[in-house]
Amino acid sequence: MEHAATADAKPLAGPLPEVSGLLDGLPRQRVRTAPAPSSAAPAQSVGRLAGLRLRPWRILPTPTGTPFTFGFAAVLVVTSLITTYASPSLVYALHQGSSTDVAHLIRTPVLVLLASALWVAGGLASPYVLCFLLVLTALERRIGGARTAVVFLLGHVLATLVTEGAVGLGVLFGDLPHTSLHRLDYGISFGVASSVGALAGLLTPWLRRPMLLLFGGMLVEDLIAFTDPMTNWGHLISLAIGVSCWPTVRHWHQAHTKQPTQHHPHPQTP
């Protein structure tokens, strides 16, 4: 008892911490002090927000990330400027020489099928320009530039051959006038429509369904308006071609994401 009294009588080295929950007379208790403000949690939160932050350059073409889409877009800008500022006679001659009408498809099919995709019907104000930039950029980032070109050309070529083939048959059986063999037919819309259909197969269902409903509904509305039925049917055919490519583009996407990164070997020191 005396020892305890002596211990109690010793002066304290410092004031007791102002905390609650301590038992009197029991030494070596854990002192629960208020946690000091730490910057770790805010830093982690900021890091998460930065990871979720939108990166605008990812949705638009870049020279290194999407070279095919970027180069193609640059060509379309040049041809659209020519359409805007060149003389009407020159513009008509260029469009007529690039047209995939029946007469040109019989004589120079490869040339006009490629050249017709270098022009934008309606110029840079066409909604297909914005669709081209967003859709082909997203598709190229998922499957690569060469495969994106294949999807675009597949819709552009096949839909053109189907629609112009129908025009040729219509002229042959007398349902269409002979001048239909020389109708101007050029633009990127068929290739864009097939790219939309292909990209939809790589998206989650909650993005895929609204995308197809919105774009497909727009094409059906144009067809009902009956202003240019051959072109409107070509858009729907192109969209269906892109949708039919889903197994292939999904395989390409898996192969593209699994491509090993190239490492440069370090020189060995002797």
Side-chain angles (χ1 to χ4, degrees), residues 243-256:
V243 172
S244 68
C245 293
W246 283 3
T248 303
V249 295
R250 285 169 178 168
H251 174 72
W252 285 347
H253 175 56
Q254 293 176 357
H256 184 71

Side-chain angles (χ1 to χ4, degrees), residues 4 7-8 12 16-17 19 21-31:
D8 294 336
L12 295 174
L16 289 173
V19 294
L22 297 181
L23 297 178
D24 295 336
L26 293 180
R28 302 181 182 276
Q29 298 183 73
R30 292 182 179 178
V31 180

Side-chain angles (χ1 to χ4, degrees), residues 42-225:
Q44 292 176 357
S45 300
V46 172
R48 294 193 193 100
L49 291 176
L52 296 175
R53 187 171 51 192
L54 292 177
R55 293 173 290 180
W57 59 90
R58 294 285 297 177
I59 64 175
L60 293 176
T62 59
T64 56
T66 55
F68 168 72
T69 305
F70 185 86
F72 200 168
V75 172
L76 293 177
V77 169
V78 173
T79 57
S80 297
L81 291 176
I82 293 174
T83 303
T84 303
Y85 296 105
S87 62
S89 58
L90 175 60
V91 172
Y92 177 79
L94 292 173
H95 286 169
Q96 201 275 335
S98 305
S99 174
T100 50
D101 52 60
V102 177
H104 279 121
L105 285 174
I106 293 174
R107 295 196 301 265
T108 56
V110 177
L111 176 62
V112 293
L113 283 170
L114 294 177
S116 62
L118 303 180
W119 303 91
V120 180
L124 295 178
S126 171
Y128 281 97
V129 173
L130 180 61
C131 194
F132 169 89
L133 293 175
L134 299 180
V135 171
L136 266 74
T137 298
L139 189 61
E140 184 173 356
R141 291 191 185 279
R142 286 165 172 80
I143 64 175
R147 292 160 179 165
T148 301
V150 170
V151 172
F152 181 92
L153 288 175
L154 195 64
H156 175 72
V157 171
L158 293 183
T160 298
L161 293 178
V162 170
T163 53
E164 291 298 335
V167 171
L169 291 176
V171 173
L172 181 64
F173 290 103
D175 297 329
L176 293 174
H178 191 270
T179 55
S180 298
L181 298 177
H182 303 278
R183 63 186 292 271
L184 288 180
D185 188 9
Y186 62 90
I188 60 172
S189 58
F190 288 175
V192 170
S194 64
S195 300
V196 170
L199 177 63
L202 300 178
L203 302 178
T204 56
W206 67 275
L207 281 176
R208 179 189 311 135
R209 296 190 186 103
M211 181 178 179
L212 289 177
L213 286 175
L214 182 63
F215 190 78
M218 180 186 69
L219 299 184
V220 172
E221 184 179 356
D222 291 342
L223 182 62
I224 294 175

